[in-house]
Structure formats: structure tokens, C-alpha cells
Short mmCIF file of all heavy atoms in Angstrom, two decimals:
data_model
loop_
_atom_site.label_atom_id
_atom_site.label_comp_id
_atom_site.label_asym_id
_atom_site.label_seq_id
_atom_site.Cartn_x
_atom_site.Cartn_y
_atom_site.Cartn_z
N ALA A 1414 -32.70 -81.02 -47.41
CA ALA A 1414 -32.85 -81.64 -48.73
C ALA A 1414 -33.38 -83.07 -48.62
O ALA A 1414 -33.29 -83.84 -49.58
CB ALA A 1414 -31.52 -81.64 -49.47
N HIS A 1415 -33.95 -83.42 -47.47
CA HIS A 1415 -34.38 -84.81 -47.26
C HIS A 1415 -35.54 -85.21 -48.16
O HIS A 1415 -35.77 -86.40 -48.36
CB HIS A 1415 -34.77 -85.02 -45.79
CG HIS A 1415 -35.74 -84.00 -45.28
ND1 HIS A 1415 -35.35 -82.73 -44.93
CD2 HIS A 1415 -37.08 -84.06 -45.07
CE1 HIS A 1415 -36.41 -82.04 -44.52
NE2 HIS A 1415 -37.46 -82.82 -44.60
N TYR A 1416 -36.29 -84.25 -48.72
CA TYR A 1416 -37.37 -84.59 -49.64
C TYR A 1416 -36.92 -84.58 -51.10
O TYR A 1416 -37.71 -84.86 -51.99
CB TYR A 1416 -38.54 -83.62 -49.46
CG TYR A 1416 -39.32 -83.88 -48.20
CD1 TYR A 1416 -39.48 -82.89 -47.23
CD2 TYR A 1416 -39.91 -85.12 -47.96
CE1 TYR A 1416 -40.19 -83.13 -46.06
CE2 TYR A 1416 -40.61 -85.36 -46.80
CZ TYR A 1416 -40.76 -84.36 -45.85
OH TYR A 1416 -41.46 -84.61 -44.70
N HIS A 1417 -35.66 -84.26 -51.35
CA HIS A 1417 -35.17 -84.29 -52.73
C HIS A 1417 -35.14 -85.73 -53.25
O HIS A 1417 -34.98 -86.69 -52.49
CB HIS A 1417 -33.77 -83.70 -52.81
CG HIS A 1417 -33.74 -82.21 -52.60
ND1 HIS A 1417 -32.61 -81.45 -52.74
CD2 HIS A 1417 -34.73 -81.33 -52.25
CE1 HIS A 1417 -32.88 -80.18 -52.48
NE2 HIS A 1417 -34.17 -80.08 -52.19
N ALA A 1418 -35.28 -85.86 -54.56
CA ALA A 1418 -35.40 -87.19 -55.17
C ALA A 1418 -34.12 -88.01 -55.01
O ALA A 1418 -33.01 -87.47 -54.97
CB ALA A 1418 -35.74 -87.04 -56.64
N SER A 1419 -34.30 -89.32 -54.94
CA SER A 1419 -33.18 -90.26 -54.83
C SER A 1419 -32.83 -90.86 -56.19
O SER A 1419 -33.62 -90.81 -57.13
CB SER A 1419 -33.53 -91.37 -53.84
OG SER A 1419 -33.58 -90.89 -52.52
N SER A 1420 -31.65 -91.49 -56.24
CA SER A 1420 -31.18 -92.07 -57.50
C SER A 1420 -30.93 -93.57 -57.41
O SER A 1420 -30.64 -94.21 -58.42
CB SER A 1420 -29.89 -91.38 -57.94
OG SER A 1420 -28.89 -91.50 -56.94
N GLU A 1421 -31.03 -94.15 -56.20
CA GLU A 1421 -30.83 -95.59 -56.04
C GLU A 1421 -31.81 -96.13 -55.01
O GLU A 1421 -32.34 -95.39 -54.17
CB GLU A 1421 -29.39 -95.90 -55.58
CG GLU A 1421 -28.32 -95.54 -56.59
CD GLU A 1421 -26.92 -95.98 -56.13
OE1 GLU A 1421 -26.81 -96.67 -55.09
OE2 GLU A 1421 -25.95 -95.63 -56.82
N ILE A 1422 -32.03 -97.45 -55.06
CA ILE A 1422 -32.81 -98.16 -54.04
C ILE A 1422 -31.90 -99.22 -53.43
O ILE A 1422 -31.40 -100.10 -54.14
CB ILE A 1422 -34.07 -98.81 -54.64
CG1 ILE A 1422 -34.97 -97.74 -55.28
CG2 ILE A 1422 -34.84 -99.56 -53.55
CD1 ILE A 1422 -36.15 -98.32 -56.05
N TRP A 1423 -31.68 -99.12 -52.11
CA TRP A 1423 -30.79 -100.04 -51.41
C TRP A 1423 -31.60 -101.08 -50.66
O TRP A 1423 -32.61 -100.76 -50.00
CB TRP A 1423 -29.90 -99.28 -50.42
CG TRP A 1423 -28.92 -98.34 -51.08
CD1 TRP A 1423 -28.93 -97.88 -52.37
CD2 TRP A 1423 -27.79 -97.73 -50.45
NE1 TRP A 1423 -27.87 -97.04 -52.59
CE2 TRP A 1423 -27.16 -96.91 -51.43
CE3 TRP A 1423 -27.25 -97.77 -49.17
CZ2 TRP A 1423 -26.01 -96.16 -51.16
CZ3 TRP A 1423 -26.11 -97.03 -48.89
CH2 TRP A 1423 -25.49 -96.23 -49.88
N ALA A 1424 -31.17 -102.34 -50.74
CA ALA A 1424 -31.80 -103.44 -50.02
C ALA A 1424 -30.94 -103.77 -48.80
O ALA A 1424 -29.73 -103.99 -48.92
CB ALA A 1424 -31.94 -104.66 -50.93
N TYR A 1425 -31.58 -103.83 -47.62
CA TYR A 1425 -30.86 -104.02 -46.36
C TYR A 1425 -31.53 -105.13 -45.56
O TYR A 1425 -32.76 -105.12 -45.35
CB TYR A 1425 -30.85 -102.72 -45.57
CG TYR A 1425 -30.14 -102.79 -44.24
CD1 TYR A 1425 -28.76 -102.66 -44.16
CD2 TYR A 1425 -30.86 -102.96 -43.05
CE1 TYR A 1425 -28.11 -102.71 -42.94
CE2 TYR A 1425 -30.22 -103.01 -41.82
CZ TYR A 1425 -28.84 -102.89 -41.77
OH TYR A 1425 -28.20 -102.93 -40.56
N ASP A 1426 -30.76 -106.09 -45.11
CA ASP A 1426 -31.25 -107.23 -44.32
C ASP A 1426 -31.34 -106.82 -42.86
O ASP A 1426 -30.31 -106.58 -42.20
CB ASP A 1426 -30.30 -108.42 -44.49
CG ASP A 1426 -30.86 -109.70 -43.88
OD1 ASP A 1426 -31.52 -109.64 -42.84
OD2 ASP A 1426 -30.60 -110.77 -44.48
N LEU A 1427 -32.58 -106.76 -42.32
CA LEU A 1427 -32.76 -106.30 -40.94
C LEU A 1427 -32.22 -107.29 -39.92
O LEU A 1427 -31.82 -106.89 -38.82
CB LEU A 1427 -34.25 -106.04 -40.67
CG LEU A 1427 -34.85 -104.81 -41.35
CD1 LEU A 1427 -36.37 -104.82 -41.21
CD2 LEU A 1427 -34.27 -103.53 -40.75
N LYS A 1428 -32.22 -108.58 -40.23
CA LYS A 1428 -31.73 -109.59 -39.30
C LYS A 1428 -30.20 -109.66 -39.31
O LYS A 1428 -29.56 -109.65 -38.25
CB LYS A 1428 -32.30 -110.97 -39.66
CG LYS A 1428 -33.80 -111.09 -39.50
CD LYS A 1428 -34.22 -111.09 -38.05
CE LYS A 1428 -35.70 -111.45 -37.91
NZ LYS A 1428 -36.16 -111.37 -36.51
N ALA A 1429 -29.64 -109.71 -40.50
CA ALA A 1429 -28.19 -109.85 -40.62
C ALA A 1429 -27.46 -108.51 -40.48
O ALA A 1429 -26.24 -108.48 -40.38
CB ALA A 1429 -27.83 -110.49 -41.95
N ARG A 1430 -28.24 -107.39 -40.47
CA ARG A 1430 -27.65 -106.04 -40.41
C ARG A 1430 -26.62 -105.87 -41.54
O ARG A 1430 -25.48 -105.51 -41.33
CB ARG A 1430 -26.97 -105.79 -39.06
CG ARG A 1430 -27.89 -105.99 -37.87
CD ARG A 1430 -28.94 -104.90 -37.83
NE ARG A 1430 -29.90 -105.14 -36.77
CZ ARG A 1430 -29.73 -104.78 -35.51
NH1 ARG A 1430 -28.63 -104.15 -35.16
NH2 ARG A 1430 -30.65 -105.03 -34.61
N LYS A 1431 -27.09 -106.12 -42.75
CA LYS A 1431 -26.16 -106.15 -43.88
C LYS A 1431 -26.80 -105.48 -45.10
O LYS A 1431 -27.96 -105.74 -45.43
CB LYS A 1431 -25.81 -107.60 -44.22
CG LYS A 1431 -24.90 -107.79 -45.41
CD LYS A 1431 -24.70 -109.27 -45.68
CE LYS A 1431 -23.85 -109.51 -46.93
NZ LYS A 1431 -23.70 -110.95 -47.23
N LEU A 1432 -26.03 -104.61 -45.75
CA LEU A 1432 -26.44 -104.03 -47.03
C LEU A 1432 -26.29 -105.10 -48.10
O LEU A 1432 -25.21 -105.66 -48.28
CB LEU A 1432 -25.59 -102.81 -47.37
CG LEU A 1432 -25.87 -102.14 -48.72
CD1 LEU A 1432 -27.29 -101.61 -48.79
CD2 LEU A 1432 -24.87 -101.02 -48.98
N LEU A 1433 -27.39 -105.40 -48.81
CA LEU A 1433 -27.39 -106.50 -49.77
C LEU A 1433 -27.09 -106.04 -51.19
O LEU A 1433 -26.28 -106.65 -51.89
CB LEU A 1433 -28.75 -107.21 -49.73
CG LEU A 1433 -29.16 -107.81 -48.39
CD1 LEU A 1433 -30.58 -108.35 -48.47
CD2 LEU A 1433 -28.18 -108.90 -47.97
N PHE A 1434 -27.78 -104.99 -51.64
CA PHE A 1434 -27.64 -104.61 -53.04
C PHE A 1434 -28.07 -103.16 -53.23
O PHE A 1434 -28.93 -102.66 -52.50
CB PHE A 1434 -28.49 -105.52 -53.94
CG PHE A 1434 -28.01 -105.57 -55.38
CD1 PHE A 1434 -27.07 -106.50 -55.77
CD2 PHE A 1434 -28.50 -104.68 -56.32
CE1 PHE A 1434 -26.61 -106.54 -57.08
CE2 PHE A 1434 -28.06 -104.71 -57.63
CZ PHE A 1434 -27.11 -105.66 -58.02
N ARG A 1435 -27.46 -102.50 -54.22
CA ARG A 1435 -27.82 -101.13 -54.61
C ARG A 1435 -28.31 -101.15 -56.05
O ARG A 1435 -27.56 -101.48 -56.96
CB ARG A 1435 -26.62 -100.20 -54.48
CG ARG A 1435 -26.11 -100.05 -53.06
CD ARG A 1435 -24.78 -99.32 -52.98
NE ARG A 1435 -24.83 -97.97 -53.56
CZ ARG A 1435 -23.83 -97.10 -53.46
NH1 ARG A 1435 -22.71 -97.43 -52.80
NH2 ARG A 1435 -23.95 -95.90 -53.99
N SER A 1436 -29.59 -100.86 -56.25
CA SER A 1436 -30.19 -100.84 -57.59
C SER A 1436 -30.38 -99.41 -58.06
O SER A 1436 -30.69 -98.51 -57.27
CB SER A 1436 -31.54 -101.56 -57.58
OG SER A 1436 -31.40 -102.92 -57.23
N GLN A 1437 -30.20 -99.21 -59.34
CA GLN A 1437 -30.33 -97.88 -59.92
C GLN A 1437 -31.80 -97.48 -60.08
O GLN A 1437 -32.66 -98.31 -60.35
CB GLN A 1437 -29.65 -97.82 -61.29
CG GLN A 1437 -28.14 -97.97 -61.24
CD GLN A 1437 -27.47 -96.82 -60.51
OE1 GLN A 1437 -27.77 -95.65 -60.79
NE2 GLN A 1437 -26.58 -97.13 -59.60
N GLY A 1438 -32.07 -96.18 -59.89
CA GLY A 1438 -33.38 -95.61 -60.14
C GLY A 1438 -33.21 -94.23 -60.73
O GLY A 1438 -32.09 -93.82 -61.06
N LYS A 1439 -34.30 -93.49 -60.84
CA LYS A 1439 -34.21 -92.14 -61.39
C LYS A 1439 -35.31 -91.27 -60.79
O LYS A 1439 -36.50 -91.59 -60.92
CB LYS A 1439 -34.32 -92.17 -62.91
CG LYS A 1439 -34.08 -90.82 -63.57
CD LYS A 1439 -34.12 -90.93 -65.09
CE LYS A 1439 -33.84 -89.59 -65.75
NZ LYS A 1439 -33.89 -89.66 -67.23
N GLY A 1440 -34.91 -90.19 -60.14
CA GLY A 1440 -35.87 -89.24 -59.61
C GLY A 1440 -36.85 -89.84 -58.63
O GLY A 1440 -38.03 -89.49 -58.60
N LEU A 1441 -36.39 -90.74 -57.76
CA LEU A 1441 -37.27 -91.50 -56.87
C LEU A 1441 -37.81 -90.62 -55.74
O LEU A 1441 -37.05 -90.00 -55.00
CB LEU A 1441 -36.51 -92.68 -56.27
CG LEU A 1441 -35.87 -93.64 -57.28
CD1 LEU A 1441 -34.83 -94.53 -56.60
CD2 LEU A 1441 -36.95 -94.48 -57.95
N SER A 1442 -39.14 -90.63 -55.57
CA SER A 1442 -39.74 -89.88 -54.47
C SER A 1442 -40.42 -90.78 -53.45
O SER A 1442 -40.56 -90.39 -52.29
CB SER A 1442 -40.76 -88.86 -55.01
OG SER A 1442 -41.69 -89.48 -55.87
N SER A 1443 -40.85 -91.98 -53.85
CA SER A 1443 -41.52 -92.90 -52.94
C SER A 1443 -41.31 -94.34 -53.41
O SER A 1443 -41.18 -94.58 -54.62
CB SER A 1443 -43.03 -92.62 -52.87
OG SER A 1443 -43.29 -91.33 -52.39
N VAL A 1444 -41.30 -95.27 -52.44
CA VAL A 1444 -41.18 -96.69 -52.76
C VAL A 1444 -42.17 -97.49 -51.92
O VAL A 1444 -42.56 -97.08 -50.83
CB VAL A 1444 -39.74 -97.24 -52.53
CG1 VAL A 1444 -38.77 -96.65 -53.54
CG2 VAL A 1444 -39.27 -96.95 -51.10
N PHE A 1445 -42.60 -98.63 -52.45
CA PHE A 1445 -43.52 -99.53 -51.75
C PHE A 1445 -43.24 -100.94 -52.22
O PHE A 1445 -43.12 -101.19 -53.43
CB PHE A 1445 -44.97 -99.16 -52.05
CG PHE A 1445 -45.97 -100.06 -51.38
CD1 PHE A 1445 -46.43 -99.79 -50.11
CD2 PHE A 1445 -46.43 -101.20 -52.03
CE1 PHE A 1445 -47.35 -100.63 -49.49
CE2 PHE A 1445 -47.35 -102.05 -51.42
CZ PHE A 1445 -47.81 -101.76 -50.14
N VAL A 1446 -43.12 -101.89 -51.27
CA VAL A 1446 -42.85 -103.28 -51.63
C VAL A 1446 -43.95 -104.18 -51.09
O VAL A 1446 -44.50 -103.94 -50.01
CB VAL A 1446 -41.46 -103.74 -51.11
CG1 VAL A 1446 -41.45 -103.89 -49.59
CG2 VAL A 1446 -41.01 -105.03 -51.78
N SER A 1447 -44.28 -105.23 -51.84
CA SER A 1447 -45.23 -106.22 -51.36
C SER A 1447 -44.56 -107.11 -50.32
O SER A 1447 -43.34 -107.11 -50.17
CB SER A 1447 -45.75 -107.07 -52.53
OG SER A 1447 -44.72 -107.94 -53.00
N ASP A 1448 -45.37 -107.90 -49.62
CA ASP A 1448 -44.84 -108.80 -48.59
C ASP A 1448 -44.65 -110.23 -49.09
O ASP A 1448 -44.44 -111.14 -48.30
CB ASP A 1448 -45.76 -108.80 -47.37
CG ASP A 1448 -45.62 -107.53 -46.54
OD1 ASP A 1448 -44.52 -106.97 -46.50
OD2 ASP A 1448 -46.63 -107.10 -45.93
N ALA A 1449 -44.70 -110.44 -50.40
CA ALA A 1449 -44.63 -111.77 -50.97
C ALA A 1449 -43.22 -112.36 -50.90
O ALA A 1449 -42.23 -111.64 -50.69
CB ALA A 1449 -45.10 -111.72 -52.43
N GLU A 1450 -43.12 -113.67 -51.12
CA GLU A 1450 -41.83 -114.35 -51.15
C GLU A 1450 -40.96 -113.83 -52.29
O GLU A 1450 -39.75 -113.71 -52.16
CB GLU A 1450 -42.04 -115.86 -51.28
CG GLU A 1450 -42.55 -116.55 -50.02
CD GLU A 1450 -41.50 -116.62 -48.94
OE1 GLU A 1450 -40.29 -116.58 -49.25
OE2 GLU A 1450 -41.88 -116.73 -47.75
N THR A 1451 -41.59 -113.59 -53.43
CA THR A 1451 -40.90 -112.91 -54.53
C THR A 1451 -41.48 -111.51 -54.60
O THR A 1451 -42.53 -111.28 -55.20
CB THR A 1451 -41.10 -113.63 -55.87
OG1 THR A 1451 -40.61 -114.97 -55.75
CG2 THR A 1451 -40.34 -112.93 -56.98
N PRO A 1452 -40.83 -110.55 -53.96
CA PRO A 1452 -41.44 -109.24 -53.78
C PRO A 1452 -41.55 -108.45 -55.08
O PRO A 1452 -40.69 -108.51 -55.95
CB PRO A 1452 -40.48 -108.53 -52.81
CG PRO A 1452 -39.64 -109.62 -52.21
CD PRO A 1452 -39.55 -110.67 -53.27
N LEU A 1453 -42.64 -107.70 -55.17
CA LEU A 1453 -42.79 -106.68 -56.21
C LEU A 1453 -42.60 -105.33 -55.55
O LEU A 1453 -43.19 -105.05 -54.50
CB LEU A 1453 -44.17 -106.76 -56.87
CG LEU A 1453 -44.49 -108.02 -57.66
CD1 LEU A 1453 -45.92 -107.97 -58.20
CD2 LEU A 1453 -43.49 -108.23 -58.79
N LEU A 1454 -41.76 -104.51 -56.15
CA LEU A 1454 -41.49 -103.18 -55.60
C LEU A 1454 -41.92 -102.12 -56.61
O LEU A 1454 -41.67 -102.26 -57.81
CB LEU A 1454 -40.02 -103.01 -55.26
CG LEU A 1454 -39.66 -101.70 -54.55
CD1 LEU A 1454 -38.61 -101.93 -53.46
CD2 LEU A 1454 -39.15 -100.64 -55.52
N TYR A 1455 -42.57 -101.09 -56.10
CA TYR A 1455 -43.06 -99.99 -56.93
C TYR A 1455 -42.37 -98.70 -56.50
O TYR A 1455 -42.17 -98.46 -55.30
CB TYR A 1455 -44.58 -99.83 -56.78
CG TYR A 1455 -45.35 -101.11 -57.01
CD1 TYR A 1455 -45.54 -102.02 -55.97
CD2 TYR A 1455 -45.87 -101.42 -58.25
CE1 TYR A 1455 -46.22 -103.21 -56.16
CE2 TYR A 1455 -46.56 -102.60 -58.46
CZ TYR A 1455 -46.73 -103.51 -57.41
OH TYR A 1455 -47.41 -104.68 -57.61
N SER A 1456 -42.04 -97.87 -57.48
CA SER A 1456 -41.46 -96.57 -57.16
C SER A 1456 -42.23 -95.48 -57.89
O SER A 1456 -42.77 -95.70 -58.99
CB SER A 1456 -39.98 -96.50 -57.55
OG SER A 1456 -39.84 -96.49 -58.96
N LEU A 1457 -42.29 -94.30 -57.27
CA LEU A 1457 -42.87 -93.12 -57.89
C LEU A 1457 -41.79 -92.09 -58.11
O LEU A 1457 -40.87 -91.95 -57.29
CB LEU A 1457 -43.96 -92.52 -57.00
CG LEU A 1457 -45.32 -93.21 -56.95
CD1 LEU A 1457 -46.20 -92.55 -55.89
CD2 LEU A 1457 -46.01 -93.18 -58.31
N SER A 1458 -41.92 -91.36 -59.19
CA SER A 1458 -41.02 -90.25 -59.46
C SER A 1458 -41.83 -89.02 -59.83
O SER A 1458 -42.55 -89.02 -60.83
CB SER A 1458 -40.06 -90.59 -60.61
OG SER A 1458 -39.33 -89.42 -61.01
N LEU A 1459 -41.73 -87.98 -59.00
CA LEU A 1459 -42.37 -86.72 -59.34
C LEU A 1459 -41.69 -86.08 -60.54
O LEU A 1459 -42.34 -85.48 -61.39
CB LEU A 1459 -42.33 -85.77 -58.14
CG LEU A 1459 -43.19 -86.15 -56.93
CD1 LEU A 1459 -42.96 -85.18 -55.78
CD2 LEU A 1459 -44.66 -86.19 -57.29
N GLN A 1460 -40.37 -86.22 -60.61
CA GLN A 1460 -39.62 -85.64 -61.72
C GLN A 1460 -40.01 -86.25 -63.05
O GLN A 1460 -40.17 -85.56 -64.06
CB GLN A 1460 -38.12 -85.82 -61.49
CG GLN A 1460 -37.55 -85.02 -60.33
CD GLN A 1460 -36.05 -85.28 -60.17
OE1 GLN A 1460 -35.44 -86.01 -60.92
NE2 GLN A 1460 -35.47 -84.65 -59.15
N GLU A 1461 -40.15 -87.57 -63.08
CA GLU A 1461 -40.42 -88.28 -64.32
C GLU A 1461 -41.91 -88.49 -64.56
O GLU A 1461 -42.30 -89.00 -65.62
CB GLU A 1461 -39.72 -89.65 -64.31
CG GLU A 1461 -38.22 -89.59 -64.09
CD GLU A 1461 -37.50 -88.84 -65.18
OE1 GLU A 1461 -37.85 -89.04 -66.36
OE2 GLU A 1461 -36.60 -88.03 -64.85
#
């Protein structure tokens, strides 16, 4: 079921090895984030 849609987007700090925040989503199939200081994140939903 690894390709089934997700319901949240989790932010994780790779340096501190720490889960930072859990944000709600709906029917998430893909995510993409920019590399900017104030990041923009995009999600796709096949369901929606």
C-alpha cells in the first residue's frame, strides 16, 4: 500500500534528527519543495 495516498505532510530536520511539525493534507500523492529561505511546497492529489 506504499503508493496509497497520504493524509499529512511531516517536516523533519535532517541535522537535528527531529520531527518538527505535522501538517494536514488530503489525498496526497506527491510533494515538491523549493530551496528558498521561505520555502514554497506543492502537493498533488490524484484523488482530488
Side-chain angles (χ1 to χ4, degrees):
H1415 51 283
Y1416 286 122
H1417 289 186
S1419 290
S1420 58
E1421 295 185 7
I1422 301 173
W1423 294 15
Y1425 180 82
D1426 189 324
L1427 288 170
K1428 294 290 189 184
R1430 305 291 175 84
K1431 178 183 177 182
L1432 177 62
L1433 300 174
F1434 203 89
R1435 297 169 59 172
S1436 297
Q1437 293 295 312
K1439 186 177 182 181
L1441 304 164
S1442 52
S1443 299
V1444 291
F1445 179 88
V1446 71
S1447 71
D1448 285 328
E1450 287 288 336
T1451 302
L1453 295 178
L1454 186 141
Y1455 308 85
S1456 70
L1457 283 173
S1458 171
L1459 292 175
Q1460 292 179 2
E1461 304 298 318

